[in-house]
Amino acid sequence: MAKAFNVTGACIPEEHYMVRLDGRLREIRELVDAGKYFSVNRARQYGKTTVLMALERYLQNVYRVVLLDFQTFDAEKFRSGSAFAAAFAKSFLRALRRDKEEGSQAFQAALSRLQECAQGGRGEFALMELFEELSDICAAADRPIVLMIDEVDSAADNQVFMDFLAQLRAYYIRRSLQPTFRSVILAGVCDVKNLRRKLRPEEEHKVNSPWNIATDFKIDMSFSPGDIAGMLEEYDSDYGIGMDIGRMADLIHAYTSGYPFLVSRLCKLMDEEIGGTQGRGALENSVKKRAWTEDGFQKAVRVILSEKNTLFESLTGELTGYPTLNGMLRALLFTGRSIVYNADDPAMDAATMFGFIRNQCGVAVIANRIFETRLYNYYLSLAEMQGLEIYKASLQDRNRFIVDGHLDMRLVLESFAIHFNDLYGDRGEAFISCSI
């Protein structure tokens, strides 16, 4: 079966064109080997699940890896500590037994005790009892156990989850006395390291995050031009198109800044819609070759800017849920003033978390050209904005900066530098050299 570009769910190497993850996996392996607990928090559809699944395969010869998905836990599982403990134990055992190596008798006995607890056969079973059984399993295991949990956002506003993190923290601190997981990796949009324990009246003194033991995760998960080129080389080899791989990779990166979903979506559009045909015959490949040109790429950009997809629906939904984020993005796009990047600002933190903006030389900028244009189109379509003079002026300015259907960022930055110089002298020129 021919491979395809994938934008739904995790990518599978045997089925999908993918960037090579080897370098990222090696970097993550270093954190695991060092016994670190950490969060992989990135924006939606940023490849987190794909990386976790690849990491599970990458580590399995050295560690016993347990990969869970909290999205499969319904609200009933978080009703109480005992309900969660039983559900977690069952999912944990199911995942652990995917490893076909049975291990020692002591290990099997520890698994059986957890199974019996989860089925209610050993008396009270809540979080404390769960972690006692997990500790016994870690002690008896022939290989260190790595716990990975995907979609932790599903539980982030739940007290039981806070208590679960607190138990992980306690066992991590006492790991020299009580056996525990070698490493714990939580993946989601929000950074659970910054969550605060929901305080009960009797716990007012507990103000620390139950996940403040987590180390920073600084591995870049965006796709570089080289990453994109590697993926295109495989595709080009399959179809014999003879595209200018370097030029195409640079174009895709220039518009997406390496956002994984956007990269894959543009490639999928060029392959399946702009290319227009499937197969590898001479006629089909000649059509595909025209799709993988700058003209074909611009057609794909126009399609993605006008379509509804899960990522854009999610992002516009966040604008409704976070009014301060909405206001900050409007100011960033339409007032022409720079906004200093401040990670302590809640609106800026939310905008970064959801992937709207990034920190560029200490200044907040929209994360990529696709988002920038899409947000412009979204705001300018709102009826309440169209009567405001500032938005009419911004629309005229926006048209001045559009060249061949896209924003000419040099013109934008040069215009900004004039304004910046008026305030800060020659720092405006420094901003241009930093940004281009």
Side-chain angles (χ1 to χ4, degrees), residues 5 17 228 231-233 235-236 239 241-245 247-249 251-252 263-277 284-298 300:
F5 293 103
Y17 292 111
I228 299 169
M231 179 172 62
L232 295 183
E233 284 172 3
Y235 175 87
D236 190 65
Y239 285 93
I241 292 173
M243 75 171 82
D244 185 340
I245 292 174
R247 173 59 177 158
M248 191 57 57
L251 272 175
I252 293 171
V263 171
S264 296
R265 183 59 184 157
L266 285 172
C267 290
K268 190 174 184 68
L269 288 171
M270 284 185 283
D271 175 44
E272 298 179 11
E273 293 197 25
I274 311 304
T277 57
E284 290 86 350
N285 286 5
S286 67
V287 175
K288 285 189 179 293
K289 184 172 183 177
R290 290 196 295 273
W292 292 90
T293 61
E294 188 161 352
D295 180 62
F297 172 78
Q298 292 297 339

Side-chain angles (χ1 to χ4, degrees), residues 39-41 44 69-75 77-78 84 149-166 186-199 209-211 322 353-354:
S39 301
V40 180
N41 59 290
R44 301 191 191 282
D69 183 351
F70 268 7
Q71 209 166 39
T72 64
F73 284 39
D74 57 38
K77 303 297 189 296
F78 295 97
F84 175 83
I149 304 177
D150 199 7
E151 300 291 350
V152 293
D153 304 87
S154 304
D157 62 349
N158 195 288
Q159 178 61 50
V160 171
F161 179 60
M162 297 292 103
D163 294 341
F164 173 75
L165 292 182
L186 306 182
V189 174
C190 67
D191 185 356
V192 295
K193 185 174 66 174
N194 296 328
L195 292 177
R196 291 294 182 269
R197 188 179 180 86
K198 294 183 177 180
L199 299 181
S209 165
W211 194 243
Y322 289 79
M353 178 174 69
F354 294 129

Side-chain angles (χ1 to χ4, degrees), residues 20 38 76 115 135 165 170 193 199 275 277 282 307 336 368 400:
R20 294 186 64 84
F38 55 95
E76 181 65 19
Q115 179 78 47
S135 181
L165 292 182
K193 185 174 66 174
L199 299 181
T277 57
E307 72 177 4
N368 55 68
R400 178 164 62 89

Side-chain angles (χ1 to χ4, degrees), residues 97-335:
R97 283 169 172 156
R98 287 198 296 261
D99 189 332
K100 302 303 182 183
E101 294 185 27
E102 292 187 355
S104 66
Q105 288 185 345
F107 181 63
Q108 289 300 316
L111 296 183
S112 296
R113 287 195 299 273
L114 180 60
Q115 179 78 47
E116 189 178 351
C117 288
Q119 293 173 343
R122 297 178 71 90
E124 182 180 0
F125 187 57
L127 284 176
M128 185 176 74
E129 290 77 21
L130 169 66
F131 273 85
E132 289 174 350
E133 298 299 332
L134 293 175
S135 181
D136 289 345
I137 290 172
C138 290
D142 54 331
R143 286 172 281 158
I145 298 176
V146 174
L147 175 64
M148 301 193 295
I149 304 177
D150 199 7
E151 300 291 350
V152 293
D153 304 87
S154 304
D157 62 349
N158 195 288
Q159 178 61 50
V160 171
F161 179 60
M162 297 292 103
D163 294 341
F164 173 75
L165 292 182
Q167 289 281 357
L168 282 173
R169 179 179 183 271
Y171 271 80
Y172 176 83
I173 292 171
R174 298 195 300 270
R175 61 192 182 280
S176 62
L177 303 175
Q178 294 176 287
T180 188
F181 302 114
R182 176 64 179 181
S183 177
V184 176
I185 306 169
L186 306 182
V189 174
C190 67
D191 185 356
V192 295
K193 185 174 66 174
N194 296 328
L195 292 177
R196 291 294 182 269
R197 188 179 180 86
K198 294 183 177 180
L199 299 181
R200 302 185 180 100
E202 69 274 14
E203 294 180 323
E204 292 181 358
H205 63 287
K206 295 182 179 179
V207 296
N208 287 335
S209 165
W211 194 243
N212 61 7
I213 55 170
T215 193
D216 290 335
F217 182 79
K218 298 181 179 180
I219 297 169
D220 187 1
M221 290 177 62
S222 64
F223 296 164
S224 69
D227 290 331
I228 299 169
M231 179 172 62
L232 295 183
E233 284 172 3
E234 182 181 5
Y235 175 87
D236 190 65
S237 176
D238 284 349
Y239 285 93
I241 292 173
M243 75 171 82
D244 185 340
I245 292 174
R247 173 59 177 158
M248 191 57 57
D250 287 343
L251 272 175
I252 293 171
H253 187 269
Y255 277 73
T256 65
S257 296
Y259 197 114
F261 174 87
L262 297 178
V263 171
S264 296
R265 183 59 184 157
L266 285 172
C267 290
K268 190 174 184 68
L269 288 171
M270 284 185 283
D271 175 44
E272 298 179 11
E273 293 197 25
I274 311 304
T277 57
Q278 298 292 326
R280 292 187 175 86
L283 177 60
E284 290 86 350
N285 286 5
S286 67
V287 175
K288 285 189 179 293
K289 184 172 183 177
R290 290 196 295 273
W292 292 90
T293 61
E294 188 161 352
D295 180 62
F297 172 78
Q298 292 297 339
K299 290 178 181 177
V301 169
R302 289 194 288 273
V303 172
I304 199 173
L305 287 174
S306 62
E307 72 177 4
K308 289 183 67 174
N309 61 50
T310 54
L311 176 60
F312 293 154
E313 288 176 350
S314 173
L315 292 179
T316 53
E318 304 299 354
L319 297 178
T320 303
Y322 289 79
T324 55
L325 164 65
N326 196 3
M328 188 203 71
L329 290 174
R330 290 188 188 190
L332 191 62
L333 286 165
F334 292 104
T335 65

Side-chain angles (χ1 to χ4, degrees), residues 30-37 63 172 175 181-184:
E30 291 178 5
L31 296 175
V32 172
D33 289 345
K36 301 298 185 182
Y37 285 30
Y63 298 98
Y172 176 83
R175 61 192 182 280
F181 302 114
R182 176 64 179 181
S183 177
V184 176

Side-chain angles (χ1 to χ4, degrees), residues 313-426:
E313 288 176 350
S314 173
L315 292 179
T316 53
E318 304 299 354
L319 297 178
T320 303
Y322 289 79
T324 55
L325 164 65
N326 196 3
M328 188 203 71
L329 290 174
R330 290 188 188 190
L332 191 62
L333 286 165
F334 292 104
T335 65
R337 63 184 177 85
S338 66
I339 300 179
V340 175
Y341 188 90
N342 176 12
D344 295 324
D345 179 84
M348 201 160 292
D349 183 55
T352 305
M353 178 174 69
F354 294 129
F356 283 112
I357 67 169
R358 55 190 169 90
N359 180 1
Q360 182 169 285
C361 302
V363 175
V365 298
I366 302 298
N368 55 68
R369 286 190 189 182
I370 298 293
F371 282 2
E372 184 177 47
T373 307
R374 184 82 181 204
L375 285 169
Y376 264 125
N377 293 341
Y378 169 77
Y379 284 124
L380 292 173
S381 70
L382 299 179
E384 68 269 22
M385 292 189 179
Q386 294 175 8
L388 300 178
E389 291 300 323
I390 187 172
Y391 292 105
K392 292 178 182 178
S394 67
L395 179 59
Q396 294 172 353
D397 285 342
R398 174 175 177 263
N399 292 335
R400 178 164 62 89
F401 296 134
I402 292 178
V403 178
D404 295 331
H406 62 82
L407 288 173
D408 187 319
M409 294 309 298
R410 177 168 285 279
L411 286 177
V412 173
L413 290 170
E414 287 175 349
S415 175
F416 173 73
I418 293 172
H419 169 72
F420 205 56
N421 277 333
D422 290 341
L423 296 175
Y424 301 110
D426 59 4

